[in-house]
Amino acid sequence: MKEVFRFLGALLLGLLLVGGTAALGIVLLLQGEESLTRELLRLAQAKATLLFFVGFLFLLVLGSLLYPVFLGYLAATRALGQEAEVILSNPGHRLRPRGPLELQTLARLINRLAQEKEALEREVAARVAEAKALLEEERKKLALLIAHLPQGVVLANPRGQVLLYNPAARELLGEGLGVGKSLLGLLDRGLWVHALNLPEARFLTQGPRGALWLQVVPLEGEKGHLVLLEGAKEEGALDGRLLHRLRDKLAGLKALVEVLDLEVQSPHLQSLLRTARATAEELSQLIASWKPKAQAAEVLAEDLLSLLAQTLEREVGITPGFSLEEEAKGLLVLADTYVLARGLAEALQEVEEAFLEGRREDGFLHLTLTLQEGRGIRLPPLLEEAAGRSGGSAWGGASRLHLLLPAREAPRLPTQEGPPPRAVVFDLTLFQVPEALEEAPLESLLYTAFDLETTGLDPEKDAIIALGGVHVLGQRVLRQEAFEALVDPGRPIPKVSSEVHGLTWEMLKGKPRLEEVLPAFRAFLEDSVLLAHNGAFDMAFLRRVGIHQPPLVDTLLLSHLLFPDLKDHRLEALAERFGVPVVGRHTALGDALMTAEVFARMVPLLKEKGYRTLGEVLRACAQLPLAKLTY
């Protein structure tokens, strides 16, 4: 409609110019010819209707002839502008001169400018590469060192999002670990907060793949945390499965002894049976006494009181007062701080005021928790267990709780001379990620570009046979964080589908079923924004198997948003337009990688058009007619 008004305005302006020029010429010709002027006016009045009809007909014919030309010129101009914007993301792209001569001249000029821009960018890139060479070498050395460490190492920002990790950490935490994802979804949140306050201590927790030792060390200047992980199995300890097998075999041995005792009458064999019974009982007592090593760590007395006060404020909303006598300061107290804090929180569930006092007492720290006068208090089993784990004791009386924890003098450390060691600095872009996902800048989010291959096009009847995905951090495609799985659909695949993706049932027989693959794929998608090309189709299949994870960024919609006057929005066309190699087309991982690379090159163009946040992009895409398409 806007284009129609522009055309009518231009046509009216042209008619006014032509009509005005003609009227001025007639006035000049008739100057001094009064009789001729009167005769012309009389004739015009007599033929006014005919003159108006002829003028209207002329205007209609002229508009019909010029309107397609006008629209074609506008469309060619807009298409030239939209294609020229691609150069912002892909400097190697060149325009094809077409349309009117002036637009062809403009296209050649833009190509010249693009060539100069590309040359300048190459020069700048070369200089930047030289400047970063030394830093990159140090980063490689550090990454190589971390990769070969036997324990898991994760670098996280203050919000717990992963910035760097080594293979050992991935082995311990599974597919849910990834750059940009949150560690708080994989580990106990309460224990994480507790461990932050005790960077020297290790804590036992349950990870996605079993028990872990966790240590969280804050980085200088509140720039993040270094997380150290280690499998919880210790030398000489029995894991749960082996202990269960031993108990099972022992139960079978006892049953066999009881049966033989009833059946065997020989005195000689009776003696052997008594020995077997005694052996079984001794093994039973040994297995029953086999407990994990007590988890306790040494912490300074002043740090312990402060830590307990913070936990009570966070867990039950109480801000207790606390004091520590001068003789107790500097003591190293042996305690399972996490269980101790939880036990105190359990004891104070319905209490409004409390006071915590610590004093030294013959190799122990004596903690006294006092409530307001007349308020009774019970001793929670968890608190008694916490004291017992470190070799201490706990008891209660009236409005007080008492804890006796082993303590010793902290050794004096020699003063370190000389400057502190130089820290290794990284460009950690996730430090400034906003709290609200909708208002987050496009280049600060973690995306998962994914694609599916299926047995057909009907989400209600057809099945998924391949899944592929790759993480994209802003404009950086993390090719080392990829997911690919083939799935046995349990039925033949139509020939027309196999001709597209090249997968047949014979190739997929023996592969895992979809329900075996989905948990790992779901973990790979967590804490990220989904990204796909023509994603409505893929999401229809995922919704059917229980994956509902909005929002979804669709590069097909983004292409229509960026290039509304271009006709080809296929993934191959976008890849060619942005200089992305077309590799592995119609394979799940290949298409996911192409989608990721195309999106990374779209981000600058979206920002140039004013779409800087995820919310702005999604709202703009929702207005497109194509967004109404469902499967």
Side-chain angles (χ1 to χ4, degrees):
M1 185 60 68
K2 187 185 296 184
E3 294 173 348
V4 174
F5 285 126
R6 289 179 62 187
F7 173 71
L8 291 177
L11 184 61
L12 180 60
L13 180 61
L15 290 175
L16 289 176
L17 291 175
V18 173
T21 304
L24 180 60
I26 292 173
V27 169
L28 292 176
L29 288 173
L30 295 178
Q31 193 173 10
E33 300 288 342
E34 295 182 2
S35 59
L36 183 58
T37 302
R38 283 195 297 272
E39 184 64 24
L40 285 174
L41 289 174
R42 185 190 64 79
L43 184 62
Q45 289 175 355
K47 304 292 184 179
T49 304
L50 181 62
L51 288 174
F52 179 78
F53 176 74
V54 171
F56 177 76
L57 185 62
F58 172 77
L59 183 64
L60 187 63
V61 172
L62 183 64
S64 299
L65 293 174
L66 293 181
Y67 187 60
V69 178
F70 182 82
L71 284 186
Y73 190 87
L74 286 182
T77 305
R78 285 196 305 270
L80 178 67
Q82 293 166 13
E83 194 173 2
E85 286 183 341
V86 177
I87 297 175
L88 296 175
S89 180
N90 178 23
H93 184 67
R94 294 295 178 266
L95 308 180
R96 287 174 289 178
R98 54 190 172 187
L101 291 176
E102 57 270 21
L103 291 185
Q104 294 185 27
T105 304
L106 181 59
R108 294 189 188 96
L109 177 59
I110 292 175
N111 284 338
R112 284 180 55 194
L113 293 175
Q115 187 175 355
E116 293 181 10
K117 176 180 181 291
E118 187 177 16
L120 288 174
E121 286 189 351
R122 281 199 299 265
E123 182 180 353
V124 171
R127 294 186 179 182
V128 170
E130 291 176 6
K132 288 184 175 180
L134 181 59
L135 178 61
E136 188 64 28
E137 189 64 29
E138 291 187 5
R139 291 183 63 175
K140 287 181 180 179
K141 290 178 180 178
L142 180 62
L144 186 63
L145 175 63
I146 292 177
H148 286 81
L149 288 176
Q151 62 183 164
V153 178
V154 181
L155 185 65
N157 68 9
R159 295 175 56 214
Q161 287 179 300
V162 176
L163 305 171
L164 179 70
Y165 64 87
N166 67 348
R170 183 64 176 266
E171 184 67 26
L172 291 170
L173 295 181
E175 292 82 2
L177 178 67
V179 174
K181 291 192 174 185
S182 175
L183 274 176
L184 302 183
L186 302 173
L187 301 170
D188 186 329
R189 184 183 293 267
L191 180 59
W192 170 275
V193 176
H194 188 83
L196 282 175
N197 295 288
L198 290 172
E200 302 299 326
R202 293 197 315 164
F203 296 90
L204 186 65
T205 185
Q206 186 67 28
R209 293 187 171 179
L212 297 171
W213 287 107
L214 168 71
Q215 183 177 359
V216 184
V217 181
L219 301 179
E220 185 179 356
E222 298 185 355
K223 291 184 178 179
H225 315 295
L226 183 66
V227 183
L228 303 177
L229 303 165
E230 194 172 344
K233 184 178 177 181
E234 300 179 7
E235 279 189 39
L238 295 179
D239 61 22
R241 288 179 298 177
L242 181 56
L243 195 58
H244 177 76
R245 288 177 61 193
L246 282 175
R247 286 172 176 165
D248 185 55
K249 298 300 182 184
L250 179 61
L253 177 60
K254 285 182 175 181
L256 178 62
V257 169
E258 296 296 333
V259 171
L260 291 177
D261 191 23
L262 297 175
E263 298 293 334
V264 175
Q265 302 299 325
S266 171
H268 178 67
L269 292 180
Q270 284 289 339
S271 175
L272 291 177
L273 283 175
R274 284 193 295 273
T275 304
R277 185 182 294 109
T279 303
E281 289 297 329
E282 187 176 350
L283 281 174
S284 178
Q285 295 174 7
L286 179 62
I287 292 177
S289 66
W290 204 314
K291 297 180 180 179
K293 183 181 177 181
Q295 182 193 349
E298 289 188 324
V299 57
L300 283 172
E302 46 266 44
D303 291 341
L304 177 62
L305 264 67
S306 175
L307 181 65
L308 294 176
Q310 291 175 22
T311 303
L312 292 176
E313 182 176 2
R314 184 176 66 251
E315 297 292 334
V316 293
I318 297 177
T319 306
F322 62 90
S323 68
L324 183 67
E325 70 174 8
E326 197 66 31
E327 290 77 6
K329 292 181 179 179
L331 285 178
L332 282 177
V333 184
L334 184 65
D336 185 339
T337 55
Y338 185 55
V339 179
L340 186 64
R342 287 176 57 202
L344 285 175
E346 184 179 334
L348 301 180
Q349 284 295 330
E350 300 178 357
V351 175
E352 297 179 358
E353 296 181 8
F355 188 81
L356 192 61
E357 181 184 7
R359 66 178 185 272
R360 185 169 184 168
E361 192 172 295
D362 297 330
F364 291 88
L365 177 70
H366 189 164
L367 292 178
T368 304
L369 181 67
T370 307
L371 308 186
Q372 61 265 40
E373 191 67 31
R375 185 64 186 260
I377 189 172
R378 65 180 182 83
L379 179 65
L382 192 62
L383 194 61
E384 192 172 7
E385 177 189 346
R389 284 191 178 188
S390 59
S393 58
W395 67 95
S399 58
R400 293 186 178 182
L401 279 181
H402 299 273
L403 292 167
L404 206 60
L405 302 173
R408 66 184 179 91
E409 287 282 354
R412 296 184 176 274
L413 299 177
T415 305
Q416 183 179 2
E417 298 182 357
R422 183 169 66 91
V424 180
V425 181
F426 289 90
D427 180 16
L428 306 175
T429 56
L430 282 182
F431 282 163
Q432 304 299 324
V433 175
E435 292 288 337
L437 182 64
E438 185 180 3
E439 300 302 322
L442 291 173
E443 65 273 18
S444 69
L445 292 169
L446 176 70
Y447 305 85
T448 299
F450 74 97
D451 185 68
L452 309 177
E453 299 299 338
T454 62
T455 58
L457 302 179
D458 188 348
E460 296 299 324
K461 299 178 181 178
D462 290 303
I464 298 171
I465 56 176
L467 306 97
V470 63
H471 286 155
V472 184
L473 187 59
Q475 293 177 244
R476 185 158 56 97
V477 180
L478 307 177
R479 289 178 171 267
Q480 73 277 13
E481 292 188 11
F483 181 96
E484 185 177 24
L486 296 177
V487 177
D488 184 355
R491 58 182 175 182
I493 301 173
K495 184 178 179 182
V496 64
S497 298
S498 294
E499 289 174 352
V500 175
H501 46 59
L503 297 174
T504 63
W505 193 26
E506 288 71 22
M507 297 168 57
L508 298 177
K509 285 181 179 178
K511 299 294 183 183
R513 301 305 293 265
L514 183 61
E515 56 270 18
E516 301 175 52
V517 173
L518 276 180
F521 187 61
R522 186 180 282 109
F524 190 76
L525 297 179
E526 282 179 355
D527 300 321
S528 67
V529 178
L530 299 188
L531 174 67
H533 188 81
N534 193 19
F537 174 79
D538 300 283
M539 286 306 299
F541 279 88
L542 291 183
R543 281 194 297 269
R544 209 184 77 188
V545 295
I547 295 182
H548 307 268
Q549 184 178 327
L552 170 73
V553 178
D554 195 326
T555 51
L556 178 63
L557 296 179
L558 295 183
S559 179
H560 281 272
L561 185 65
L562 292 172
F563 317 118
D565 292 293
L566 298 182
K567 304 301 181 185
D568 197 347
H569 300 280
R570 294 173 302 123
L571 184 57
E572 300 98 318
L574 292 176
E576 181 182 354
R577 193 171 299 155
F578 286 108
V580 176
V582 180
V583 179
R585 183 67 174 117
H586 292 303
T587 65
L589 183 56
D591 285 358
L593 285 168
M594 285 174 58
T595 302
E597 295 287 357
V598 165
F599 173 75
R601 288 160 173 77
M602 282 181 165
V603 171
L605 302 186
L606 291 168
K607 292 172 62 180
E608 190 71 22
K609 284 185 172 289
Y611 305 117
R612 298 183 176 275
T613 67
L614 180 63
E616 291 171 347
V617 167
L618 294 178
R619 285 191 291 270
C621 288
Q623 301 303 316
L624 296 172
L626 193 63
K628 309 298 187 297
L629 182 65
T630 58
Y631 290 88

